[in-house]
Amino acid sequence: METMNIAARGVIAVDAVVEVDAPAAEAWAVLADYARDVEWRDGVRSMVPTPPGPVRAGTRTAETMRAAGRTLRNDGEVTTVEDGRRFTWRTTSGVRAEGSRAVVPRDGESCRIELTLRVVPPGLLRLVPWAVTGMLRRGLRRDAGRLRAVIELGGHDDRPDGVDLTESGVTSGEDSPSGDTGRSGSFPDW
């Protein structure tokens, strides 16, 4: 898959930004280990990175997830890595998508995490882009909130399922200092 042009017809762009009360290195350890996606990404049933461990350029992923009552499989690859800071990814099969994950240090004890996603909705979902955008935005915000909890709780999110995280300090890009456009939701491997 070629890199998608954000202005291309049919591409939906969403993001989420969350402040984390943990050092950037701790946040990166969770964010950059795809095997840990099952802990914080809703619907992800398995995520197998090859090779295992922290991402590096060329890391391959095999993801199985449940969304909209269906089991989906997406394969992907990490395209660039700025170790400890940011990486980009794209799908190689399944839903057409790409995105990035970033950790921005704030001080020695806190950081900001930025998740971005660009996706081309499959099939008939292309006919309702406003609905898909809302679903993805809400989902990514919830995922960012769960990610924050996993990092701050030292690796475990002990909250019961269904906890509303919309008022948990998670924002979309229109609220972020970087000025990115809004991005969100449980689709492929962001």
Side-chain angles (χ1 to χ4, degrees):
M1 176 178 89
E2 297 174 12
T3 299
M4 290 182 269
N5 177 346
I6 197 71
R9 182 178 165 95
V11 175
I12 294 174
V14 292
D15 75 357
V17 177
V18 64
E19 301 294 326
V20 178
D21 289 328
E26 289 179 23
W28 179 257
V30 175
L31 188 69
D33 185 351
Y34 269 117
R36 300 203 59 189
D37 280 21
V38 297
E39 296 176 43
W40 60 274
R41 287 189 47 227
D42 186 38
V44 175
R45 300 298 183 241
S46 70
M47 175 66 84
V48 179
T50 304
V55 295
R56 61 183 189 214
T59 295
R60 297 276 185 185
T61 58
E63 171 188 67
T64 303
M65 68 182 313
R66 288 286 293 169
R70 297 181 349 171
T71 298
L72 305 171
R73 176 161 169 120
N74 297 298
D75 292 325
E77 73 175 335
V78 173
T79 53
T80 64
V81 177
E82 297 170 43
D83 195 36
R85 300 252 185 214
R86 180 177 189 272
F87 71 92
T88 59
W89 58 268
R90 68 181 182 97
T91 56
T92 56
S93 69
V95 175
R96 250 183 90 196
E98 65 185 16
S100 65
R101 297 178 180 185
V103 175
V104 180
R106 303 293 272 179
D107 57 37
E109 297 303 314
S110 68
C111 61
R112 182 177 71 236
I113 293 177
E114 300 172 349
L115 305 174
T116 67
L117 170 67
R118 287 179 299 280
V119 63
V120 176
L124 294 176
L125 290 176
R126 289 184 183 136
L127 301 176
V128 289
W130 62 91
V132 174
T133 300
M135 176 194 72
L136 291 174
R137 182 171 289 121
R138 285 185 302 277
L140 192 60
R141 284 180 176 181
R142 286 194 286 275
D143 287 350
R146 281 189 295 275
L147 174 60
R148 181 182 69 200
V150 166
I151 294 165
E152 290 178 354
L153 294 170
H156 303 287
D157 180 0
D158 296 327
R159 282 172 297 132
D161 289 338
V163 172
D164 183 9
L165 297 167
T166 56
E167 299 301 322
S168 64
V170 180
T171 60
S172 63
E174 56 268 14
D175 303 325
S176 87
S178 65
D180 291 339
T181 58
R183 311 169 220 249
S184 157
S186 254
F187 244 46
D189 67 332
W190 51 80

